[in-house]
Amino acid sequence: MLRLLSLLQTGRGWPAAELATAMEVPPRTLRRDIDHLRGLGYPVESSRGPGGNYRLVAGTALPPLMLEHDEAIATVLGLRLAAAGGTGIDLTAESADRAAAKLRRVLPPALRRRTDAMLAAVEFGIGEQPRVTPDVLTVLAAAIAARRCLEFTYTAKDGPSSRTVEPMRLVQLGRRWYLYAWDLGRRDWRSFRLDRIAAPRTTEVAFEPRDLPVDDVAGHLQERFHSPKSLRITLTLDVGAEEAAARLHRVDGSFEALGDDSCRYVAHVDSFEWLAVVLTLTDIGFTVEEPAEFGEYLARTGRRLLRGSGSGGPREW
């Protein structure tokens, strides 16, 4: 319907056969869609005979989009949040702005003024995180709907591997997206971070959905990733948020930009040991903000390594 309306809004007259070809639909479907547009209040006129065509009446105001105040606010804020990266999807600010501009044109004047005032007042501060492309989301969602197996390359802590799965759910936690699926190679349920999935491909192999092991998949993953036993560690890193997110993607956490060359990193880990190893391998300068126990653990580990080096005392390293 949006495609049809977009063609008619060019202002030209469209012969039925040409318009049906442009829409890639048979004439009967085109007539039904034209009637639907008229039912929505769009003034589409038609003329019969050899020169017959469809045309959107010029100079007639289009029907306003009927949204309640809270619905309009939710919509425009959602578009602004998407442009700022708050959804975890790699959408460009340009695409969100185009959608907002189209929405603005069809809002009633009073509601347009309210949403304009809201957008002028709101600013989102979104830290950098690995994002998911819309193409990956589209492929995975289509495979779930069609009940087709998926093949992709997945980069986990131990490196990349090829996976074949029966996809069941897409889950968003915070600003990260996960695929919950039955892994045919592991013969078990697995969750996969979408920003670590590469080259997903829907196969021709169909499957019958298995019974999920839990009723609330999102709650199950939330509990698994952020259990009461998990540790919350806050660091100041000596690199920008975007670079830090790229180099520390193996540890669950969030980044807050403090400047071009520094950021605050809140990590969720199961042990001090794992984060210490990752920080050593990435060679990023940092300062521990909290907890003090992590700083003490690093100091003990540093002294042990120095003793093992045979120096017996502090040195530059």
Side-chain angles (χ1 to χ4, degrees), residues 25-61:
V25 298
R28 182 177 179 180
T29 300
L30 175 64
R31 290 194 296 271
R32 182 189 63 198
D33 290 343
I34 290 289
D35 289 338
H36 187 55
L37 277 183
R38 288 168 172 161
L40 292 172
Y42 291 92
V44 181
E45 66 177 12
S46 59
S47 58
R48 299 182 181 275
N53 57 61
Y54 290 105
R55 183 191 301 271
L56 194 64
V57 177
T60 304

Side-chain angles (χ1 to χ4, degrees), residues 234-241 243-245 247-248 254-267 275 279 282 284-289:
T234 304
L235 309 171
T236 299
L237 305 180
D238 298 336
V239 294
E243 180 181 351
R247 294 168 65 177
L248 289 167
S254 60
F255 300 88
E256 176 190 354
L258 299 177
D260 293 338
D261 299 317
S262 65
C263 66
R264 177 169 291 108
Y265 178 38
V266 179
L275 184 56
L279 290 170
T282 55
I284 294 176
F286 66 91
T287 302
V288 178
E289 293 188 18

Side-chain angles (χ1 to χ4, degrees), residues 30-315:
L30 175 64
R31 290 194 296 271
R32 182 189 63 198
D33 290 343
I34 290 289
D35 289 338
H36 187 55
L37 277 183
R38 288 168 172 161
L40 292 172
Y42 291 92
V44 181
E45 66 177 12
S46 59
S47 58
R48 299 182 181 275
N53 57 61
Y54 290 105
R55 183 191 301 271
L56 194 64
V57 177
T60 304
L62 295 181
L65 184 62
M66 302 306 293
L67 290 177
E68 298 292 339
H69 171 69
D70 57 344
E71 295 170 340
I73 294 297
T75 303
V76 296
L77 287 181
L79 289 169
R80 179 58 60 86
L81 183 63
T87 62
I89 305 173
D90 191 15
L91 298 172
T92 65
E94 180 187 358
S95 63
D97 288 342
R98 287 200 311 269
K102 290 179 180 179
L103 174 66
R104 187 179 184 277
R105 285 198 295 268
V106 294
L107 284 176
L111 198 50
R112 186 187 311 150
R113 288 192 293 271
R114 291 183 182 181
T115 56
D116 285 350
M118 176 64 70
L119 289 178
V122 173
E123 181 175 339
F124 292 101
I126 305 296
E128 291 293 329
Q129 285 276 27
R131 297 186 189 178
V132 181
T133 66
D135 290 343
V136 169
L137 272 176
T138 300
V139 171
L140 270 54
I144 292 172
R147 298 180 180 177
R148 301 281 181 177
C149 289
L150 271 172
E151 294 179 349
F152 53 83
T153 300
Y154 190 70
T155 303
K157 295 177 182 178
D158 53 354
S161 61
S162 298
R163 302 295 184 96
T164 302
V165 304
E166 296 175 357
M168 291 297 293
R169 293 286 190 277
L170 287 172
V171 180
Q172 184 187 20
L173 296 178
R175 284 182 288 118
R176 282 193 173 146
W177 287 82
Y178 297 86
L179 170 67
Y180 193 68
W182 177 264
D183 191 317
L184 292 171
R186 276 66 174 175
R187 306 301 302 171
D188 198 3
W189 292 100
R190 290 288 191 272
S191 59
F192 303 93
R193 268 178 48 179
L194 265 60
D195 58 289
R196 298 180 180 178
I197 290 177
R201 184 181 71 86
T202 304
T203 72
E204 295 301 318
V205 179
F207 66 89
E208 285 297 322
R210 304 170 188 269
D211 291 333
L212 291 170
V214 293
D215 293 330
D216 181 7
V217 176
H220 169 69
L221 294 182
Q222 182 73 37
E223 182 178 355
R224 173 184 167 191
F225 297 151
H226 301 295
S227 65
K229 296 181 180 179
S230 68
L231 301 170
R232 183 179 187 274
I233 299 174
T234 304
L235 309 171
T236 299
L237 305 180
D238 298 336
V239 294
E242 185 173 354
E243 180 181 351
R247 294 168 65 177
L248 289 167
H249 66 276
R250 293 184 176 180
V251 180
D252 188 29
S254 60
F255 300 88
E256 176 190 354
L258 299 177
D260 293 338
D261 299 317
S262 65
C263 66
R264 177 169 291 108
Y265 178 38
V266 179
H268 299 276
V269 295
D270 295 327
S271 67
F272 289 159
E273 291 84 354
W274 170 243
L275 184 56
V277 169
V278 172
L279 290 170
T280 301
L281 294 176
T282 55
D283 196 29
I284 294 176
F286 66 91
T287 302
V288 178
E289 293 188 18
E290 59 179 8
E293 290 80 5
F294 182 56
E296 294 166 0
Y297 167 79
L298 293 177
R300 291 195 303 272
T301 302
R303 289 193 293 269
R304 180 167 58 83
L305 293 174
L306 283 172
R307 288 196 300 270
S309 70
S311 67
R315 59 185 288 181

